[in-house]
Every structure is written in C-alpha cells, then in structure tokens.
Amino acid sequence: MPGRVRLLVKPLRHNPALAARLENRMGELPGVLLVRVNVRGGSLVVRYAPDRVGEADIAREAHGAAGTPDTTPISARQGGKPPLCDSPLCRGTSCADTRSGCDPVRPALRRFALISAVMGGVFVRTTVLGLGVAQTALSPLGLVAVAASVPLFRRAARQIRERRFTLEAFLGASCVAAVAAGEALTAFEVLWINSGAELLKAWITERSRKSISEILQVTGHHTFVLVDGVEVEAESHELSPGDVVVLHTGEKVCVDGEIVDGQALVDESPITGRPDFVHRSAGDKLLAGTFVRQGVVYVRADEVGDRTYLARVLRKVEDSLENRAPIEGVADRLAANLVRVGFVVTGGTLLLTGSFWRAFTVMLVMACPCATVLAASTAVSAAMSAAARRNILIKGGRYLEEVGKADTVCFDKTGTLTTTEPELVKILPAGPLAPRGTAAREMRKAEARLLQLVVSAEVHNHHPLAQAIKSEAGRRGIDAVPHTVCEYFLGKGMRAVITGAEVLVGNRKLMEQYGVRVGSVSAKVSPLRREGRTVLYVAREGDVVGLLAFDNKIRPESVEVISRLLRGGVRDTVLVTGDEPNAAMQLCDRIGIRDCHASIMPEDKAALVDSLREQGRCVLMVGDGINDALALARADIGVAMGAGGSEVAVEAADIALVNDDLAGLVYVHSLSRTTIRVVHQNFWIATGSNLVGVVLGAAGLLSPVMAGMLHVVHSLGVLANSSRLLRYEPPALDGGREADCPMDSRTESCLSTSQPETINGL
C-alpha cells in the first residue's frame, strides 16, 4: 500500500548476517522511515515517504544489499508459503530468530572487548612498564576514543530526529570534550561503563529470547495431497486451490477448505476458543490452524498460503505490532531528566566560575551513564533473570516495566483460566439406577453404580471425555467390569456389552441411532446445557439410566490470581472468549471476574482491547491461542501461556509463562513494581554521588580523572542494589479448593473424607 512495501528476499531466510546488513543499509536510504526484517519468513517490510523515494529504488537497494536478483514484492505473489508475522522478538535493531544464530550480544561484546583491550593495554603500558601514554586529540588513544564515540552520535542523531532526547548525545559530547582537553583515558572510562551496561542488557534479553524460541513449535511445512488416488507428500507452500489434502490424526490443518470424504474429531479451539472437539464430516468446512484429533479427512483446498483465515489473522497481528506506539522506558525518562540537569549545571558552572576546566569536570560527572543506563539496565536485567529462573520469559525490559502499570487485565478462557482437559463435574443417575432415597449415602451409591457402568464401557477409549471418566473412577476407587463387545462411533460415543447387557454412552445422536428415548431426562439436560456443560447420555438395554456432565477444569490458582491482582492495583478484570455465553458467565461467577464478553471472534477481542485503551486504560491481555494473538498484539502488554499455547500467541505476546502456571502473572506483576522501585533507588544512588562530585568539581577539588573514577565507585553500589532482585520471591499463592474437588460442590461425594466405596456388582 502507499508508503509501505513488503519484499520477499529468499536468501534472507535463516541468514542473520544478511538480515543485519539489509537492516542497516535500508535504514540509511533517504526517505525510509522504518525497516523490519523477518529471517524466518524471508521478508523485508519497509515504510517510506513516497515523495522522497520510490518502491523501485527500495527494491533495487535491497537487491544490491542481498547480492541477488531474487527480491520480489510479496504482494505480487498469488500463492506460495505465507510469511509468518514478524516476530515481536525482532523489534528494534536485532533479529531474535535464535534458531539461525542471530545474536545481538555479539556486536555489544565486540564493542566492550575492544574498549576493554584498549584500557588493558594502557594499564600494562603505564602501570607494568612504567611508560607514559599520550592522551591528546591527535594521539592514537584520542583518535580511538573519538571513533568509539561515533555510535553514540549516530543513535543520538536518530533519536533527535524522532524528537526524543536521551543520554547518548550528552555522553558522546562528554567523550569528545575529554579527548579535546587531553583526557582520552577519562573518555574511555565513560565508554567502558556504557558498553558494559549495553552488553549486560543485550545478554539478558537475548537469553530470554533464546528460551522463548525453544518453546515455539514451528508449523509443519509438509502435508499429503491426493494425486490419482495416491497420497503424495508435498510442501505446504506448493499447494493450490482445488488440491485434495489428506489429514490424519494429530495433524494440523494447513488450508481453508471443504471436507469431501471421511470424518474426524477436530480441535477448533485455536481459532474459536471452544474447548470441545467438533465432529466434522463431508460437506463441513475446516480452517487452517485447527487440528485433527481423531480420524482421517480429505479436504478440498479453497484458500491456501497467505489467503487462509489464519494468514489474515497473522497479517493483522503483524500490522498491529508494526504500528504499535513505542513504550517510553523508565531509563528514557530518567535520562531526559539527567540531560536537562547536566546541561544546566555545566552551563551554570561555566558562568559562575569562568573556568572551562571546572565546567568540563562537572560535565564529566553529570555524563555518568550509571545514573540511567546502569541504574535501569542492571535492575531490569536482574529481574528478568529472576523471572527466567521461574520459567517466565520477558522479551524486553520495557515490557517488564509496563506490567506493573496495568489497571485492566483481560483473560481468555480455554487454556488460560481453564485447562484444555475436561473433568467430570456431575453424575446424575436416572431410571433403574436412580437413588432409592434422598440420603447422601444412597446418592453416593447410585453415582458409583452409574460410574462403574460407564467406565466399564469406556475403558479402552482414549477420547478426552473418556479419560475424565476414568480419572474420576480412579479417584473414587471404582474398578471397571470386563466387557465382551466394544464399539466406538466417531463423534457419537461408545457401545459395549457388559454382563450380557447392551450399554450406550454418548451424545443424543448415538441415542437416536439406537432408538433410545431421552425425553425422561430432558428436564435435567436443559439446565446443564445452559451452564455450558457437555452432556453424555448413559443407556442400558434401551433405557436411559443416567447423565454425565463435563466442564473444563478451572486452574486451581485462578481464584487467588484474580484476587491478588485486584489487591495489587488492578482496577478491572475482563473475560474475553469465543466460548458459549452461559459457560463464560458461570466461570466469571466462580472465580470473581467482573466483566464478561463471550462468543467473540479474534477481531472482536482486538476491538475490545482497543476500546479499553481508548478509555485511557493500560490493558494487559492473557491468552494462549491463535484467536488471542491479535488482542495480545494490540494490548499494552501481552502475556502468553507458553508451553500449551500456540506459536502465534507466544510470538505476538511480550511475556511467556512457559510452565502454563497462571501464578506467574502475579509474580511478574509484583516483580515489575519492585523493579521500578529499585531503579529509582539506583538513580538516586548514582545521582546523589554525582551531586557531590558536582560540588567538588565546581570548587576545583575534583580532577577529570577522579571524576571518571567516581563513576566506577558508585557503579558498584548500583550493581549491589540491583542484585537484590535476583533473590526476589513474592508471597506464595494459597491453594485453591478447585484442585482437590473436581466434582460440583453440590455433590457430597466430593466433600466426603471417608474412604471411597467399591461397588463390586452392577
């Protein structure tokens, strides 16, 4: 579109060296406003001023930097492999595709090593050999100091063009002034501390990025296509509309299309957020990004590559990340304050004393990077390291800073507040198995008889609902009775013959298939449906003998997490889910969420986040699926449930909870607030010593060399204070009742502390 072009650069894939070269070269082109490189997708996104540079010039420049003619606007392609959204890991000046070895630590390490080598050489020459070192502007040491200051001036110039005033310009000017005054070694002291801080920040950030990349599951690039009745393996990007794709159990759907043959249970939760597997057969539609959990289907592709629904969501995620307003970090704000104070104090010293030497000494004191770079970077790095040890991976210090400011937290339901595993929450015996009285003991006996009948039929079934049945039977100590016949109907249920009686366990379709009348239990089914629960019928010899109700298991820590966030300064909590309204409202009531938005698509989730932000709220979004990715990208801070979440959600988010432990959200929220307090403490440790140095420098009692040494001394104080965050431990969460009691609280069997009864007969 006007002012924006995306180029396909095939050699760019998994080539970090080329990525860095392209980004630097394109960024220097007049008229280019923004450059973003995606080494995983092999694409280059450029925003530019159309009145200053044209698309052809950009393509030609990229071709020259890549050294290949294969640089094609992606918009010109009609098919092919869709580029993955540019990872938020790649924001800024370095790519974080750590699988290919791209490492922002290397340039920072080279710079630090170079400056350290120069200072080490000076130390050996002066201290060990007892020789003098020239420090004038034209001496080798002075020229190297000026050269080492050039990157500071480049960054300062870029920030000034963006109307941001940070420390780089002040640092660079101080170093050049030191060289001009014949104090090149003083300039190197400042540069050494600055480069060390940058190395520390790059190292801890890259370590988190590498950990995040390890949990990303790369989408499969191959599938099977039906050609002349034979399944042929093919690359996903080679598919065309009209191809018949064969999808087996466990495979991810890679096209949007219609099933022409076969049937399967499909997990559509990554798109819709609904936890139940859906039975799909001929004539039904499938979307890319969903999973075939059981069965085999033949799908005629309608949309492939970057035309699928999943690809459209990814493009929206990419555009949201690209257009995201930059976050002003605490270091930026402190730096701006220090720059203003530094100029005022330096100028005031010059006017009051008339001594350039004293003003120069004051400027060196105030140019100390510890007050901003080290004060913030060491605290943030220590906090990120502490979080990483708890498997909470943060993609940058600014995101850690923003978490503590969030006043509104939006939660997805399935996979976030609940697990993806169903649990048996109600057992309702009926007909011949109904309890003979109203006493709790009679109810437990009736439930046990029904559960034993069901587990005997489901003992060989691996469906998630069957696993929930077996889990509850095991918890109660109920053993299965051997069956003589076992038959599974995909998308319907089980039929078994137990002690000579035909037993059916399944949905209404299975009951209709065998002519079982379910009207006698309809009154019990309706309220369960309204609560959003999955209901299975149980029939024996043609009569309904009971109902089973299932729900997704609520994470045991959910209630305490919501309560702790509200006590910690969060103003409002919101549930945003694609699940049914009844199920969503039930969850909100149980765990204390105040606002609920259900049955909404990914675009609606993002629109809700935008609406909250327009109201002036700082929004934190927590999710795990493809349907959450757009909202994660639009929110001020996105938090993904890492191990169980989709790779798209993890990439779109700023923070990943690798262990799927929701308690990590409370930890990182508390850690953020503590980190900001430590940063401000560090700032005043450094600034306080600076003010002492200013007084001594203005009085002529502090030489430039001693001013440089002052930086080193109070750096140790800053580091010691920041190191406290490495041992940060918040108060532990209280255990939730949900974990110990999977059955509804209205079922007394869950509350009994006696040993479970074993029913030996039916």
Side-chain angles (χ1 to χ4, degrees):
M1 46 186 172
R4 181 181 183 276
V5 62
R6 186 206 309 271
L7 303 172
L8 172 66
V9 188
K10 289 183 178 179
L12 184 60
R13 290 191 181 124
H14 313 311
N15 189 339
L18 178 58
R21 186 164 69 249
L22 267 175
E23 192 167 30
N24 291 334
R25 183 160 171 178
M26 299 302 295
E28 296 172 355
L29 190 66
V32 170
L33 307 177
L34 179 144
V35 179
R36 235 168 1 99
V37 179
N38 178 11
V39 296
R40 180 175 297 171
S43 65
L44 177 72
V45 177
V46 181
R47 284 190 176 273
Y48 61 94
D51 57 336
R52 298 182 59 193
V53 65
E55 182 178 315
D57 298 326
I58 293 173
R60 188 164 49 250
E61 187 71 17
H63 156 69
T68 172
D70 191 5
T71 304
T72 311
I74 287 179
S75 57
R77 297 184 298 146
Q78 297 302 315
K81 178 181 177 182
L84 294 177
C85 71
D86 289 317
S87 165
L89 304 180
C90 298
R91 295 174 193 160
T93 60
S94 61
C95 173
D97 185 3
T98 54
R99 293 180 297 103
S100 57
C102 183
D103 189 356
V105 174
R106 292 177 184 174
L109 180 60
R110 284 196 299 268
R111 176 175 169 79
F112 181 74
L114 174 63
I115 296 174
S116 298
V118 173
M119 293 191 69
V122 172
F123 175 79
V124 170
R125 181 177 176 86
T126 56
T127 305
V128 177
L129 302 180
L131 302 175
V133 176
Q135 300 188 46
T136 61
L138 298 179
S139 67
L141 191 63
L143 294 176
V144 173
V146 172
S149 304
V150 170
L152 294 175
F153 284 111
R154 286 180 177 173
R155 278 184 290 182
R158 184 169 63 250
Q159 291 159 356
I160 290 173
R161 286 197 300 269
E162 298 170 358
R163 297 184 179 181
R164 292 193 297 125
F165 300 94
T166 57
L167 192 63
E168 276 77 5
F170 201 50
L171 280 176
S174 300
C175 293
V176 172
V179 173
E183 296 286 347
L185 191 56
T186 301
F188 266 104
E189 290 178 2
V190 175
L191 290 170
W192 184 74
I193 295 174
N194 175 258
S195 62
E198 293 295 334
L199 174 61
L200 177 63
K201 183 168 63 175
W203 175 75
I204 195 68
T205 302
E206 181 61 17
R207 190 173 69 171
S208 291
R209 289 171 173 172
K210 285 185 177 181
S211 300
I212 289 170
S213 71
E214 291 172 0
I215 68 171
L216 295 180
Q217 301 172 359
V218 181
T219 303
H221 297 301
H222 64 85
T223 187
F224 293 92
V225 180
L226 196 64
V227 179
D228 297 329
V230 179
E231 293 184 22
V232 179
E233 188 171 359
E235 294 292 323
S236 298
H237 68 273
E238 296 174 351
L239 298 176
S240 302
D243 287 344
V244 176
V245 179
V246 187
L247 299 166
H248 307 81
T249 298
E251 293 182 349
K252 179 183 284 188
V253 180
C254 56
V255 298
D256 290 353
E258 181 180 336
I259 298 176
V260 296
D261 193 14
Q263 57 180 333
L265 290 178
V266 181
D267 180 4
E268 297 181 347
S269 60
I271 300 294
T272 65
R274 297 179 181 178
D276 299 333
F277 295 167
V278 183
H279 179 250
R280 298 298 185 193
S281 57
D284 292 333
K285 296 285 188 180
L286 288 185
L287 294 177
T290 57
F291 291 87
V292 176
R293 293 306 185 191
Q294 192 170 6
V296 178
V297 288
Y298 297 80
V299 181
R300 184 180 60 245
D302 296 330
E303 302 289 351
V304 300
D306 54 5
R307 296 181 179 272
T308 64
Y309 176 78
L310 173 61
R312 294 197 298 272
V313 170
L314 291 179
R315 281 200 298 273
K316 290 182 179 180
V317 171
E318 177 187 82
D319 290 338
S320 295
L321 294 174
E322 182 176 315
N323 296 321
R324 215 178 198 184
I327 303 172
E328 183 184 25
V330 63
D332 296 334
R333 295 190 295 272
L334 296 179
N337 294 336
L338 185 65
V339 168
R340 297 189 190 98
V341 173
F343 278 120
V344 170
V345 172
T346 302
T349 301
L350 181 62
L351 291 175
L352 292 175
T353 65
S355 170
F356 175 79
W357 184 259
R358 294 185 182 184
F360 170 60
T361 301
V362 169
M363 183 174 69
L364 284 179
V365 171
M366 295 305 298
C368 172
C370 308
T372 52
V373 179
L374 278 181
S377 65
T378 57
V380 169
S381 297
M384 289 173 64
S385 180
R389 285 204 301 271
R390 299 175 66 98
N391 289 314
I392 301 170
L393 304 177
I394 305 170
K395 298 178 182 178
R398 291 184 175 183
Y399 310 122
L400 174 65
E401 296 171 21
E402 288 292 301
V403 170
K405 303 176 186 176
D407 55 20
T408 302
V409 182
C410 298
F411 292 94
D412 173 49
K413 175 180 176 285
T414 306
T416 302
L417 293 172
T418 66
T419 67
T420 55
E421 300 174 358
E423 64 173 342
L424 180 58
V425 295
K426 278 201 176 199
I427 301 175
L428 300 175
L433 295 186
R436 298 182 179 88
T438 58
R441 183 178 179 83
E442 290 299 322
M443 175 62 74
R444 289 198 296 272
K445 285 184 177 181
E447 289 180 356
R449 286 193 293 267
L450 178 59
L451 186 57
Q452 187 177 44
L453 184 67
V454 173
V455 76
S456 300
E458 299 277 2
V459 67
H460 297 306
N461 190 0
H462 299 289
H463 190 282
L465 296 182
Q467 299 297 328
I469 291 170
K470 288 183 278 188
S471 175
E472 180 62 20
R475 192 186 69 81
R476 295 194 185 196
I478 297 175
D479 297 323
V481 174
H483 55 240
T484 55
V485 175
C486 177
E487 189 176 4
Y488 175 63
F489 297 92
L490 187 65
K492 296 181 181 179
M494 293 289 298
R495 172 186 173 272
V497 177
I498 304 172
T499 62
E502 182 183 62
V503 177
L504 302 174
V505 182
N507 57 25
R508 189 166 186 140
K509 292 180 181 179
L510 183 65
M511 300 298 115
E512 292 173 351
Q513 179 177 331
Y514 281 87
V516 178
R517 297 175 181 237
V518 298
S520 61
V521 293
S522 296
K524 296 181 179 180
V525 172
S526 297
L528 296 175
R529 298 281 191 197
R530 285 196 297 271
E531 293 172 359
R533 289 172 173 167
T534 301
V535 178
L536 292 185
Y537 297 86
V538 184
R540 185 174 65 181
E541 289 297 302
D543 295 323
V544 176
V545 295
L547 299 171
L548 303 177
F550 300 84
D551 203 350
N552 276 80
K553 184 183 296 184
I554 297 177
R555 293 182 185 272
E557 69 272 19
S558 295
V559 175
E560 181 66 17
V561 165
I562 300 296
S563 175
R564 190 74 68 84
L565 288 174
L566 292 173
R567 294 200 304 268
V570 173
R571 188 174 69 185
D572 200 9
T573 52
V574 184
L575 180 66
V576 288
T577 177
D579 208 349
E580 296 291 341
N582 290 330
M585 288 300 299
Q586 287 283 329
L587 178 65
C588 289
D589 291 341
R590 293 176 69 180
I591 67 176
I593 289 184
R594 299 172 176 176
D595 196 6
C596 179
H597 298 265
S599 293
I600 58 178
M601 295 298 287
E603 296 86 349
D604 301 320
K605 290 187 178 184
L608 175 63
V609 169
D610 289 340
S611 174
L612 291 171
R613 295 184 68 197
E614 288 171 1
Q615 297 172 24
R617 302 192 189 185
C618 182
V619 180
L620 186 150
M621 174 70 196
V622 189
D624 74 312
I626 295 170
N627 58 332
D628 304 315
L630 190 54
L632 289 169
R634 295 277 184 87
D636 294 288
I637 297 295
V639 178
M641 306 298 288
S646 74
E647 63 270 19
V648 179
V650 175
E651 291 235 16
D654 307 304
I655 298 170
L657 307 180
V658 179
N659 286 348
D660 281 350
D661 183 3
L662 198 59
L665 185 62
V666 173
Y667 177 85
V668 77
H669 184 266
S670 174
L671 179 64
S672 171
R673 294 189 163 212
T674 303
T675 301
I676 296 302
R677 287 197 296 270
V678 172
V679 168
H680 284 283
Q681 290 169 6
N682 288 344
F683 179 76
W684 286 111
I685 287 173
T687 303
S689 60
N690 281 349
L691 294 177
V692 173
V694 165
V695 174
L696 295 177
L701 302 177
L702 188 69
S703 69
V705 173
M706 291 303 297
M709 290 302 298
L710 181 63
H711 301 342
V712 179
V713 172
H714 68 200
S715 295
L716 297 176
V718 168
L719 289 170
N721 192 47
S722 295
S723 66
R724 296 186 297 119
L725 290 170
L726 294 171
R727 301 182 301 276
Y728 180 75
E729 290 288 343
L733 293 180
D734 296 332
R737 177 72 176 163
E738 307 275 355
D740 303 322
C741 184
M743 297 291 293
D744 263 3
S745 57
R746 283 170 286 183
T747 304
E748 293 189 27
S749 59
C750 185
L751 305 178
S752 173
T753 58
S754 61
Q755 292 296 321
E757 287 189 73
T758 300
I759 307 299
N760 295 319
L762 293 173

